[in-house]
């Protein structure tokens, strides 16, 4: 207000002076650090105070009602901020003009060119004229940034809040002063938040015109918008020249959109694809996809013709019905594997052997242990055409429940009966299968098999702790209902066994009971050797007794028998084909001993803290079946796991048999120790080693020139990409890298004379040759078969505004490569050059 009063006095004095002398100019020197204000109470469209400054002077033209600022001038009004060498403000018309001045050093360049900020929008120009009231203006040789795009033009005219016209303009998403690429056009219309329209349009790369179109439409906003999906042109060695993914995208509203795309090949192939998406925030989302391919390669009478009609249906759905109920669906139906073979180069899809579908409705009751799940699943074998689907699979669960605990029961002082618990589950399952008549011949001949049943389970537990020992008696009961069973009869004519389905309700029950005993022993060893402060050995023995009756006896109604061609009685389960199988055969009275060992070490980390880590975790187990008539001891099982530092993990297992093996007979009831003085014989062994290490980083020392650093990092053909020098300061580059290696070895010899071995080495290597070059390699090698499995190489180059990728599968049926050069900006993702191959050839 102080400055406003001064301005009022100045205007009053100047008016009197001008009346007396006839002079309409008032010259006011301005101190560099002093800012002034122009009063808004005078007659004009300006309705707020204007702040201004200048390093030289300000001149008021009283007659024409304008303010002129010279040298390093700045003018602020509301959300506007203008800087330039010279600024003129016309108060009555609310128009301001700004321009630069020639460099006095004689360089021929303009200095002090206008920089205009309109809120967050910036405009750079050689000359500017703008109206505060209408918010319209003209910029000569201007540039601005809108929605991630940079616009430069000989003349930029703003005619509306969101509409600009640009003469001889160019558009790019590259932020370099000299962009790598741009779209040029003599006439550009920019609709902010919508699109850019050019007529005509030329693509320039390094100022070289590459191609031209009569007009161009470019998105100028984030999110979705309706429009034509631009096609890609190419040539396929099998199907000829093509236009791919030509179509239309329809952004219906905020909740739905639809994409329709098609591929056309000159040698007799048409593909059509559609995708419908929907979303309702916090409620549901999903999509439905439909694709089809019609191939007519060759003539009707050609021997090598290829005629096929392939299709795919995909549905994805995720819905939260309420806080306790949800619905998820992932459905994938295909005509055959040939759909992927002819329509994609994606390695995961090409290697896919099964098409899996699932629809699941989950419901739980808050505050209770009850929940229910309803599921539909489908498994389609893409190689054989076999299909197995479950329609439906309904499961009800009541998790562990303590019936004798009250609301005020203390968990720290439980009585023995308060630890008693039970759980219950029931399952309804119905399957519909399409199976090959003869699995050895894939000839399109199938049998249909439908089965259904209900399974109910009840588990009872009554754990008791006595001192350091924990006893846990348990009882598990199962009841199964079926609508079918089978019957086997010997065909005396050819000595084959005929299996027939018998319809009708059948039910059977089976159960087991037992008790487990657990405790824990801990040994501590204190030491101060080589920084090791102590060792700890934890032993966790577990003894488990289980009893299961022989459910093959007639009273359980689960087994029958027939007499084979040798006059021997053969027992079989009448439910062996059913969805939950049959009851276990043979009495079991087994005692299983398991001993776990954990070795740990504590070392000094800092002066006040210690660090603990595990040295070895090893568990051994052995079982004894009292009810068996021979071979009562089970195999000795051994598992182990350890880590060496943070870079190597080792795990594995082994099995040992105590009994002698006779070729052609098998294991006999005689210990190895008796005849061969061996305790046990190795029957299985496996080991896995996994390591992951990384290192290196790119470190730039501060230099005086960002441009020099860019030159070093952008170069790709000289040594300075690794070590560059700016003056006396080096720019050091080390190579970031990471390596993951996995080795697996397994050996199996239940028959000592027949040994099966497998050894596989797989790995993944990632490294940066430079800041912008990235390379990754993954492969798996079968050591015994001496062959690689699906090696994969990826090379990536960051080209500032562009990016290049090269993917290569060097061996295998799907060997080939894909090379792609594209613009980084997502709004221009279809501007790219692609060359790729598959097993059909290059396209």
């Amino acid at each position: 207000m102080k400055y406003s009063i001064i301005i009022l006095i100045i205007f009053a004095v100047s008016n009197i002076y001008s009346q007396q002398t006839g002079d309409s100019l008032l010259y006011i020197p301005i101190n560099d650090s002093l800012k002034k204000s122009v009063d808004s109470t005078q007659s004009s469209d300006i309705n707020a105070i204007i702040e201004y400054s200048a390093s030289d002077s300000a001149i008021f033209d009283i007659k024409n009602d304008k303010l002129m600022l010279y040298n390093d001038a700045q003018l602020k009004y509301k959300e506007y901020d203008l800087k330039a060498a010279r600024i003129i403000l016309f108060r009555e018309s609310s128009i301001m003009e700004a321009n630069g001045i020639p460099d006095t050093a004689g360089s021929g360049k303009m200095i002090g060119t206008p920089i205009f900020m309109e809120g967050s929008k910036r405009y750079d120009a050689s000359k500017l004229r703008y109206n505060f009231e209408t918010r319209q203006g003209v910029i000569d040789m201007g540039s601005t940034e809108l929605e991630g795009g940079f616009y430069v033009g000989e003349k930029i005219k703003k005619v509306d809040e969101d509409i600009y016209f640009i003469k001889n303009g160019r558009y790019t998403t590259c932020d370099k002063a000299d962009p790598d690429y741009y779209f040029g056009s003599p006439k550009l219309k920019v609709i902010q938040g919508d699109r850019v329209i050019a007529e005509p349009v030329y693509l320039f790369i390094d100022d070289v015109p590459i191609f031209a179109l009569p007009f161009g439409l470019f998105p100028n906003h984030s999110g979705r918008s309706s429009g034509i999906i631009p096609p890609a042109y190419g040539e396929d060695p099998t199907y000829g020249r093509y236009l791919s993914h030509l179509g239309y995208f329809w952004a219906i509203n905020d909740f739905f959109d639809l994409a329709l795309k098609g591929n056309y090949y000159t040698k007799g192939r048409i593909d059509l694809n559609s995708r419908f998406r929907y979303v309702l925030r916090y409620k549901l989302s999903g999509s439905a996809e439909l694709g089809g391919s019609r191939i007519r390669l060759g003539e009707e009478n050609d021997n090598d013709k290829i005629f096929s009609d392939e299709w795919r249906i995909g549905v994805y759905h995720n819905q939260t019905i309420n806080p306790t109920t949800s619905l998820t669906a992932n459905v994938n139906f295909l005509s055959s594997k040939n759909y992927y073979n002819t329509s994609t180069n994606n390695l995961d899809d090409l290697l896919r052997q099964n098409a899996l579908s699932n629809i699941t409705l989950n419901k739980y009751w808050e505050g209770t242990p009850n929940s229910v799940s309803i599921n539909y699943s489908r498994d389609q074998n893409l190689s054989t055409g076999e299909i197995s689907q479950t329609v439906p699979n309904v499961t009800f669960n009541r998790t562990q429940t303590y019936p004798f605990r009250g609301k005020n029961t203390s968990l720290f002082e439980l009585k023995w009966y308060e630890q008693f618990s039970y759980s219950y589950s029931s399952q309804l399952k119905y399957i519909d299968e399409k199976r090959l008549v003869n699995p050895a011949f894939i000839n399109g001949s199938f049998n249909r098999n439908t089965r259904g049943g209900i399974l109910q389970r009840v588990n009872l537990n009554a754990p008791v702790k006595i001192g350091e020992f924990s006893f846990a008696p348990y009882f598990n009961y199962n009841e199964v209902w079926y609508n079918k069973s089978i019957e086997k009869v010997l065909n005396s004519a050819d000595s084959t066994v005929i299996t027939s389905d018998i319809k009708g309700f059948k039910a059977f029950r089976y159960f087991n009971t037992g008790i487990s005993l657990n405790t824990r022993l801990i040994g501590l060893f204190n030491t101060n050797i080589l920084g090791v402060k102590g060792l700890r050995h934890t032993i966790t023995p577990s003894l488990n007794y289980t009893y299961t009756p022989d459910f093959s006896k007639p009273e359980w109604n689960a087994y029958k028998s027939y007499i084979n061609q040798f006059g021997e009685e053969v027992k079989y389960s009448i439910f062996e084909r059913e969805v939950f199988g049959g009851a276990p055969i043979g009495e079991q009275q087994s005692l299983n001993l398991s001993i776990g060992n954990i070795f740990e070490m504590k070392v000094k980390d800092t002066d006040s803290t210690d660090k603990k880590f595990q040295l070895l975790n090893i568990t051994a187990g052995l079982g004894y079946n009292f009810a068996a008539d021979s071979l009562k001891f089970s195999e000795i099982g051994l598992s182990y796991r350890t880590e060496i530092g943070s870079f190597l993990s080792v795990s594995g297992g082994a099995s040992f048999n105590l009994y002698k093996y006779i070729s052609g007979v098998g294991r006999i009831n005689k210990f190895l120790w008796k005849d061969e003085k061996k305790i046990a014989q190795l029957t299985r062994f496996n080991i896995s080693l996994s390591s992951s290490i990384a290192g290196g980083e790119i470190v730039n020392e501060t230099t005086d020139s960002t441009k020099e650093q860019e030159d070093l990092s952008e170069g790709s053909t000289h040594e300075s990409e690794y070590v560059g020098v700016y003056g006396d300061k080096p720019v050091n580059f080390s190579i970031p890298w990471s390596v993951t290696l996995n080795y697996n070895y397994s050996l199996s010899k239940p028959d000592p004379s027949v040994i099966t071995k497998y050894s596989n080495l797989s790995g993944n290597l990632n490294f940066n040759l430079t800041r912008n070059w990235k390379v990754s390699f993954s492969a798996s090698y079968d050591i015994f078969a001496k062959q690689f499995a699906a090696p994969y190489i990826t090379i990536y180059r960051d080209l500032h505004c562009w990016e290049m990728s090269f993917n290569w599968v060097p061996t295998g049926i799907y060997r080939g490569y894909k090379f792609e050069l594209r613009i980084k900006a997502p709004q221009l993702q279809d501007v790219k050059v692609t060359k790729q191959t598959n097993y059909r050839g290059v396209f």
Side-chain angles (χ1 to χ4, degrees):
M1 293 303 297
K2 175 178 66 177
Y3 296 144
S4 298
I5 294 172
I6 294 173
I7 296 300
L8 285 172
I9 296 173
I10 290 172
F11 268 94
V13 172
S14 62
N15 282 331
I16 296 171
Y17 179 80
S18 62
Q19 290 173 7
Q20 293 176 349
T21 65
D23 192 353
S24 64
L25 295 179
L26 181 62
Y27 175 80
I28 305 175
I30 299 179
N31 186 277
D32 289 346
S33 61
L34 184 63
K35 292 188 177 179
K36 304 292 184 179
S37 301
V38 176
D39 185 30
S40 60
T41 60
Q42 303 296 315
S43 176
S44 75
D45 291 326
I46 298 176
N47 56 15
I49 289 181
I50 298 175
E51 294 184 1
Y52 66 90
S53 65
S55 63
D56 186 358
S57 60
I59 298 177
F60 290 98
D61 186 336
I62 307 302
K63 181 179 180 179
N64 296 311
D65 198 12
K66 65 180 180 180
L67 169 67
M68 295 172 283
L69 305 174
Y70 293 93
N71 288 345
D72 297 329
Q74 182 174 6
L75 187 148
K76 292 183 179 181
Y77 172 67
K78 293 184 177 179
E79 73 271 27
Y80 304 102
D81 187 355
L82 175 63
K83 296 178 181 178
R86 293 179 179 176
I87 300 175
I88 301 176
L89 172 64
F90 298 88
R91 283 183 3 101
E92 185 173 352
S93 61
S94 302
I95 292 176
M96 64 178 180
E97 293 181 352
N99 61 271
I101 58 175
D103 187 359
T104 56
S107 64
K109 297 181 180 180
M110 299 292 289
I111 61 174
T113 53
I115 299 175
F116 179 46
M117 298 296 297
E118 184 182 18
S120 60
K121 302 173 188 175
R122 171 171 170 154
Y123 304 88
D124 294 89
S126 62
K127 184 178 180 180
L128 178 143
R129 181 180 175 87
Y130 190 82
N131 189 307
F132 290 126
E133 181 66 22
T134 63
R135 303 175 74 93
Q136 296 179 344
V138 177
I139 300 174
D140 291 346
M141 297 305 295
S143 63
T144 186
E145 178 184 359
L146 297 171
E147 301 290 342
F150 300 92
Y151 301 88
V152 179
E154 180 181 318
K155 189 180 289 293
I156 300 176
K157 184 176 182 180
K158 182 181 180 184
V159 299
D160 192 273
E161 180 66 23
D162 298 315
I163 299 178
Y164 302 79
F165 288 95
I166 303 176
K167 179 182 178 181
N168 293 330
R170 66 186 190 186
Y171 163 76
T172 183
T173 59
C174 184
D175 58 1
K176 285 184 176 180
D178 185 15
D180 295 333
Y181 79 94
Y182 59 88
F183 292 90
S185 176
K187 293 188 291 183
L188 278 174
K189 181 179 180 181
V190 180
I191 305 173
Q192 191 174 349
D194 189 2
R195 67 192 67 186
V196 179
I197 304 169
E199 181 187 355
V201 62
Y202 309 91
L203 173 62
F204 290 82
I205 298 179
D206 275 347
D207 294 323
V208 177
I210 301 300
F211 70 81
L213 294 172
F215 68 92
L217 294 175
F218 303 92
N220 191 33
H221 63 90
S222 58
R224 305 167 304 139
S225 61
S226 300
I228 295 173
I229 302 172
Y233 171 79
E235 184 172 359
D236 185 283
T238 303
Y239 303 112
R241 292 183 174 88
Y242 65 80
L243 285 176
S244 68
H245 59 71
L246 172 64
Y248 187 79
F249 179 81
W250 182 20
I252 303 171
N253 54 37
D254 291 340
F255 310 105
F256 305 99
D257 62 41
L258 176 66
L260 301 172
K261 295 188 293 184
N263 306 326
Y264 173 76
Y265 298 79
T266 57
K267 291 186 180 180
R269 174 178 170 182
I270 295 177
D271 301 337
L272 295 175
N273 295 279
S274 65
R275 185 197 65 195
F276 175 74
R277 295 190 302 179
Y278 53 90
V279 63
L280 184 60
R281 185 173 294 182
Y282 308 123
K283 289 291 185 180
L284 59 88
S285 63
S287 65
E289 299 178 2
L290 177 63
S293 177
R294 181 177 178 85
I295 299 175
R296 295 294 183 268
L297 192 61
E299 300 295 333
E300 185 72 34
N301 298 323
D302 292 348
N303 293 328
D304 58 349
K305 66 180 181 182
I306 300 177
F307 283 17
S308 72
D309 295 296
E310 305 294 338
W311 53 268
R312 174 185 176 270
I313 299 174
V315 177
Y316 310 91
H317 182 81
N318 192 346
Q319 180 178 0
T320 301
I321 300 173
N322 57 49
T324 63
T325 309
S326 64
L327 175 65
T328 59
N330 188 343
V331 177
N332 194 19
F333 292 168
L334 280 83
S335 54
S336 70
K337 191 176 189 302
N338 199 42
Y339 177 83
Y340 286 136
N341 291 341
T342 59
S343 65
T344 183
N345 284 324
N346 185 282
L347 190 60
D348 291 336
D349 288 335
L350 291 171
L351 296 175
R352 197 184 305 277
Q353 298 298 317
N354 296 76
L356 304 177
S357 300
N358 271 286
I359 303 175
T360 304
L361 175 68
N362 288 309
K363 166 70 177 177
Y364 72 91
W365 284 266
E366 193 172 1
T368 74
N370 301 328
S371 64
V372 67
S373 172
I374 303 174
N375 172 261
Y376 163 80
S377 63
R378 184 177 188 269
D379 185 350
Q380 177 184 357
N381 189 307
L382 299 178
S383 299
T384 64
E386 293 183 322
I387 297 175
S388 175
Q389 55 184 355
T390 304
V391 194
N393 186 1
V394 182
T395 303
F396 172 81
N397 280 296
R398 183 175 178 86
T399 57
Q400 196 170 35
T401 304
Y402 298 89
F404 302 116
R405 291 185 186 180
K407 293 183 178 179
N408 299 321
T409 299
S410 172
L411 298 179
F412 299 101
E413 298 178 358
L414 290 173
K415 298 179 175 60
W416 67 269
Y417 59 86
E418 291 176 331
Q419 299 189 60
F420 174 81
S421 67
Y422 73 91
S423 62
Y424 170 81
S425 67
S426 60
Q427 184 178 5
L428 166 65
K429 187 176 183 180
Y430 185 85
I431 63 170
D432 185 356
E433 298 178 324
K434 185 176 77 170
R435 298 295 184 188
L436 287 168
V437 175
N438 187 343
F441 299 97
I442 304 175
N443 54 10
S445 180
F446 297 94
N447 282 332
R448 186 178 180 186
N449 176 41
T450 58
R451 302 278 168 176
I454 296 176
L455 169 64
Q456 299 181 80
R457 291 190 177 98
V458 177
N459 302 317
L460 307 178
N461 292 275
V464 177
K465 188 169 184 179
I466 303 175
E468 299 299 326
F469 295 90
S470 297
F471 295 88
Y474 60 88
F475 178 80
N476 301 318
Y477 175 82
N478 302 271
E479 184 167 328
V480 187
W481 301 345
Y482 289 133
N483 64 344
K484 287 182 182 179
S485 59
I486 65 166
E487 185 176 55
K488 293 185 177 183
V489 178
L490 179 68
N491 184 355
S492 56
D494 57 6
S495 299
T496 59
V497 178
I498 300 173
T499 303
S500 305
D501 284 339
I502 307 297
K503 294 184 179 180
F505 176 78
K506 290 281 187 180
F508 70 97
R509 298 127 193 111
Y510 63 95
F511 60 87
N512 63 20
T513 185
I515 185 171
S516 64
L517 171 64
N518 298 279
T519 190
R520 185 172 63 166
L521 305 173
I522 299 176
L524 297 174
F525 305 91
N526 295 320
T527 179
N528 272 312
I529 302 175
L530 300 176
V532 178
K533 298 190 68 176
L535 297 173
R536 173 173 169 156
H537 180 198
T538 304
I539 304 174
T540 54
S542 175
L543 194 63
N544 183 45
Y545 172 79
T546 301
Y547 169 72
T548 305
D550 183 4
F551 291 99
S552 66
K553 293 181 177 180
E555 60 264 27
W556 298 106
N557 297 320
Y559 283 80
K560 290 185 178 180
S561 63
Y562 66 91
I563 304 300
N564 65 14
Q565 66 270 31
F566 304 110
E568 300 170 341
E569 182 183 13
V570 179
K571 284 185 178 181
Y572 66 93
S573 170
I574 63 175
F575 305 112
E576 63 183 29
R577 287 186 174 180
E578 305 309 313
V579 291
F580 301 115
I585 187 173
E587 181 182 349
Q588 294 282 329
Q589 289 191 61
S590 59
L591 184 66
N592 297 291
L593 174 65
S594 173
I595 301 177
N597 293 269
I598 300 175
F599 298 90
E600 297 171 296
M601 182 169 67
K602 182 168 67 174
V603 297
K604 186 175 181 180
D605 189 22
T606 65
D607 291 338
S608 58
T609 60
D610 296 329
K611 183 178 180 181
K612 293 185 292 185
F613 57 90
Q614 197 174 105
L615 294 174
L616 178 64
N617 187 328
I618 184 169
T619 302
L622 176 66
Y624 184 84
N625 187 0
F626 295 95
D629 57 0
S630 61
L631 306 177
K632 294 188 175 186
F633 280 100
S634 70
E635 290 191 340
I636 300 173
L638 182 70
S639 64
Y640 55 91
R641 183 179 72 252
T642 186
E643 291 186 359
I644 301 175
S646 59
F647 62 90
L648 180 62
S649 176
V650 183
S651 62
S655 296
F656 303 88
N657 202 294
L658 300 172
Y659 296 99
K660 184 176 181 179
Y661 186 92
I662 296 180
S663 180
V665 177
R667 299 286 172 183
I668 62 173
N669 196 33
K670 183 179 289 187
F671 289 110
L672 282 166
W673 179 259
K674 186 173 182 179
D675 285 354
E676 302 180 19
K677 303 303 178 184
K678 294 180 181 178
I679 297 176
Q681 188 175 64
L682 179 68
T683 58
R684 179 188 61 85
F685 174 78
N686 68 281
I687 185 171
S688 297
L689 289 85
S690 177
S691 178
S692 181
I693 52 177
E697 60 180 351
I698 296 179
V699 179
N700 291 331
E701 295 184 10
T702 303
T703 66
D704 296 331
S705 172
T706 304
K707 180 63 172 63
E708 290 294 327
Q709 293 182 11
E710 290 178 355
D711 290 342
L712 290 170
S713 64
E714 288 297 322
S716 59
T717 58
H718 49 74
E719 201 172 81
S720 64
E721 204 163 9
Y722 301 90
V723 178
V725 176
Y726 179 80
D728 296 329
K729 296 182 178 181
V731 181
N732 296 318
F733 294 89
S734 62
I735 299 178
W737 57 272
S738 64
V739 177
T740 301
L741 291 173
N742 297 286
Y743 174 73
N744 295 284
Y745 174 84
S746 65
L747 178 146
S748 177
K749 53 173 188 175
D751 179 349
S753 62
V754 180
I755 300 175
T756 303
K757 293 191 294 184
Y758 171 78
S759 184
N760 172 268
L761 179 65
S762 62
N764 182 275
L765 170 65
N766 296 279
F767 63 92
N768 286 27
L769 285 173
T770 67
R771 183 192 315 280
N772 299 315
W773 281 99
K774 299 178 182 179
V775 180
S776 67
F777 172 76
S778 62
S780 177
Y781 182 71
D782 190 322
I783 295 175
F784 292 129
K786 296 182 179 179
Q787 62 181 13
F788 284 96
Y792 195 73
I793 300 172
T794 299
I795 300 174
Y796 174 85
R797 174 68 158 103
D798 186 337
L799 298 168
H800 190 69
C801 305
W802 296 74
E803 59 185 356
M804 181 272 291
S805 64
F806 178 76
N807 303 307
W808 181 32
V809 179
T811 62
I813 185 173
Y814 299 115
R815 63 183 178 274
Y817 68 86
K818 179 180 179 180
F819 172 84
E820 188 165 87
L821 180 66
R822 67 190 303 158
I823 293 177
K824 272 186 185 179
Q827 59 265 45
L828 297 173
Q829 60 182 350
D830 290 313
V831 182
K832 60 185 178 181
V833 177
T834 303
K835 186 168 185 177
Q836 57 186 335
T837 65
N838 62 14
Y839 60 94
R840 298 191 305 271
V842 180
F843 66 97

